[in-house]
């Protein structure tokens, strides 16, 4: 049996869910490589941090190349880096559209592409993407955010087919609102309206998200791919 | 100036065929067809071979190339059709890169 630690890449690892997942896997004895647009205060002998914009193709290629040279493999990729924006579409600037699609979609695309190249050599790997319940709920005020995450859902389902024969699974988790920076500016009544559309009417927790990720990356889940699991009973 | 892309393509292809247990009856030459017509590789094998090649180019020459770019796709003769065309294309891309 292979007892080497797993190598896990987590984007957007400086704060929020990304930070929680990073600390969780470090505590589990895994090697974690993270990235964010700014410096992290996380220090751990099994943690390596890269400062980059996930939509910068050259920077992403360089990071994955460095990981390959350091650890020769990547077992798991968690495409967590994301950005949200809430606004009526009539008032949404083009710059917001570009920013959201760059981070949410292009970032997921670039990391998946570069990491899957490496995983394909070992004929093994797990990619987990992030969608949101805003996609199936078609939430007003979240047209651009939901559209960018819909793109992630399509990407997830198609990549699953394209890399399935390479031993790589690609799935997505669709969290409900969780207390993070992403929703801190959203008015309380809006969050309440959203929760009312869920089967289980509460905010999500980091543990809820972790639970779905754990299922996707479990070695026994090798037959699970192209799936999107929404939390809170949203479908 | 030639970097010897021909040799590199042959070497990576040889290793790839071995690793993937792809049987090729004959000797690899510049004219060997890679893809299309009676090419030796299926589309998925070509994808994986190009990936290995990009990695080897980076390790050997410290150059990060994306070989399957729009330019490659729009050529009348695909750079991926034979070893020679592919090697020539790599040399061209490296010259541009530098």
């Amino acid at each position: 049996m292979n007892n080497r630690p797993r190598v896990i890449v987590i984007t957007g690892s400086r704060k929020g869910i990304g930070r929680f997942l990073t600390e969780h896997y470090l505590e589990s004895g895994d090697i974690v490589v993270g990235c964010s647009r700014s410096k992290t205060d996380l220090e751990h002998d099994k943690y390596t941090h890269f400062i980059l914009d996930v939509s910068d193709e050259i920077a992403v290629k360089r990071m994955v190349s460095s990981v390959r040279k350091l650890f020769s493999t990547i077992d798991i990729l968690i495409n967590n880096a994301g950005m949200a924006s809430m606004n009526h579409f009539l008032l949404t600037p083009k710059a917001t559209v570009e920013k959201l699609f760059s981070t949410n979609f292009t970032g997921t695309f670039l990391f998946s592409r570069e990491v899957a190249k490496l995983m394909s050599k070992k004929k093994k790997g797990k990619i987990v993407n992030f969608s949101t319940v805003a996609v199936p709920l078609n939430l007003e005020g979240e047209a651009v955010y939901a559209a960018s995450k819909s793109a992630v859902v399509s990407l997830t389902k198609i990549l699953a087919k394209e890399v399935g024969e390479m031993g790589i699974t690609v799935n997505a988790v669709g969290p409900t609102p969780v207390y993070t920076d992403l929703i801190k500016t959203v008015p309380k009544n809006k969050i309440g309206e959203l929760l009312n559309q869920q089967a289980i009417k509460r905010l999500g927790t980091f543990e809820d998200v972790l639970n779905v990720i754990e299922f996707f990356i479990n070695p026994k889940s090798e037959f699970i791919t192209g799936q999107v699991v929404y939390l809170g009973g949203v479908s | 100036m030639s970097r010897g892309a021909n040799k590199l393509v042959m070497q990576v292809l040889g290793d790839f065929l071995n690793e993937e247990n792809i049987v090729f009856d004959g000797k690899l030459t510049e004219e060997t067809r890679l893809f299309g017509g009676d090419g030796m590789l299926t589309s998925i094998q070509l994808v994986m071979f190009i990936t290995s090649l990009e990695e080897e180019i980076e390790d050997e020459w410290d150059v990060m190339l994306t070989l399957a770019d729009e330019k490659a796709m729009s050529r009348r003769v695909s750079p991926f059709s034979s070893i020679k065309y592919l090697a020539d294309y790599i040399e061209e891309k490296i010259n541009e890169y530098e």
Side-chain angles (χ1 to χ4, degrees):
Chain A
M1 193 177 149
N2 185 358
N3 283 324
R4 70 165 175 81
R6 297 178 299 184
V7 179
I8 304 179
V9 171
I10 302 175
T11 65
S13 57
R14 190 173 68 85
K15 58 184 184 176
I17 297 175
R19 174 67 172 251
F20 169 80
L21 295 171
T22 299
E23 289 176 352
H24 169 83
Y25 288 114
L26 287 171
E27 276 165 29
S28 306
D30 298 305
I31 291 168
V32 181
V33 183
C35 66
S36 64
R37 276 174 300 178
S38 47
K39 247 175 89 176
T40 181
D41 58 359
L42 178 61
E43 284 181 22
H44 192 287
D45 59 350
K46 285 191 169 170
Y47 181 68
T48 311
H49 192 79
F50 288 80
I51 298 172
L52 55 79
D53 176 340
V54 293
S55 66
D56 180 341
E57 183 173 28
I58 300 294
V60 173
K61 283 179 89 130
R62 283 201 183 116
M63 173 176 159
V64 176
S65 169
S66 302
V67 179
R68 176 171 69 85
K69 284 164 189 161
L70 279 170
F71 306 112
S72 84
T73 192
I74 295 173
D75 299 289
I76 296 158
L77 165 66
I78 301 175
N79 276 311
N80 159 74
M83 196 180 262
S85 171
M86 203 170 176
N87 203 346
H88 195 285
F89 101 103
L90 290 177
L91 303 177
T92 303
K94 183 183 168 203
T96 305
V97 178
E98 288 172 345
K99 226 160 68 178
L100 257 65
F101 270 81
S102 285
T103 302
N104 297 348
F105 176 74
T106 310
T108 300
F109 167 79
L110 289 175
F111 265 94
S112 299
R113 187 188 69 189
E114 291 309 309
V115 171
K117 284 179 186 175
L118 191 48
M119 289 173 167
S120 69
K121 298 269 158 47
K122 309 274 178 189
K123 302 262 189 288
K124 203 176 156 194
K126 310 251 178 228
I127 298 176
V128 181
N129 296 330
F130 270 67
S131 181
T132 166
V133 292
V135 171
L137 292 178
N138 296 308
L139 294 177
E140 288 165 69
E142 300 202 10
V144 178
Y145 176 59
S148 71
K149 290 295 192 177
S150 282
V152 171
V153 169
S154 290
L155 185 73
T156 300
K157 292 179 178 179
I158 295 171
L159 291 197
K161 289 184 177 177
E162 293 195 3
V163 298
E165 281 187 56
M166 300 173 191
I168 304 168
T169 64
V170 191
N171 293 289
V173 56
T176 60
V178 176
Y179 273 127
T180 63
D181 282 356
L182 273 185
I183 66 157
K184 71 181 176 195
T185 55
V186 181
K188 280 213 168 65
N189 64 322
K190 286 285 166 201
I191 295 289
E193 283 171 23
L194 195 165
L195 297 186
N196 271 333
Q197 297 184 60
Q198 298 173 190
I200 301 168
K201 301 176 198 323
R202 67 161 171 85
L203 283 172
T205 64
F206 290 170
E207 282 78 9
D208 294 325
V209 178
L210 173 67
N211 180 46
V212 178
I213 294 174
E214 289 284 282
F215 169 65
F216 286 147
I217 68 173
N218 188 312
K220 287 181 182 168
S221 297
E222 62 169 28
F223 208 38
I224 308 290
T225 194
Q227 304 302 308
V228 185
V229 172
Y230 294 107
L231 292 171
V234 175
S235 57
Chain B
M1 192 186 83
S2 169
R3 292 224 187 199
N6 220 317
K7 203 175 145 199
L8 189 84
V9 173
M10 293 265 206
Q11 177 214 313
V12 175
L13 182 62
D15 291 346
F16 179 76
L17 296 178
N18 276 335
E19 282 163 20
E20 297 294 319
N21 294 317
I22 299 167
V23 179
F24 175 64
D25 297 323
K27 191 173 178 289
L28 292 180
T29 70
E30 282 197 339
E31 313 308 323
T32 301
R33 279 194 75 83
L34 292 172
F35 185 68
D38 55 353
M40 66 166 77
L41 302 175
T42 63
S43 53
I44 196 73
Q45 287 166 345
L46 180 71
V47 169
M48 295 185 71
F49 167 58
I50 296 296
T51 300
S52 299
L53 197 53
E54 285 178 346
E55 192 178 291
E56 196 59 30
I57 289 168
E58 189 194 330
D59 289 350
E60 278 290 312
W61 299 322
D62 202 21
V63 175
M64 273 184 184
L65 293 185
T66 299
L67 292 174
D69 59 4
E70 282 171 15
K71 202 168 142 193
M73 300 306 179
S74 61
R75 294 225 160 161
R76 197 176 53 82
V77 179
S78 166
F80 308 116
S81 56
S82 75
I83 290 179
K84 182 181 183 327
Y85 283 131
L86 182 53
D88 289 349
Y89 188 65
I90 291 169
E91 297 279 0
E92 190 185 314
K93 292 276 292 180
I94 290 175
N95 288 338
E96 276 172 20
Y97 184 91
E98 288 171 340

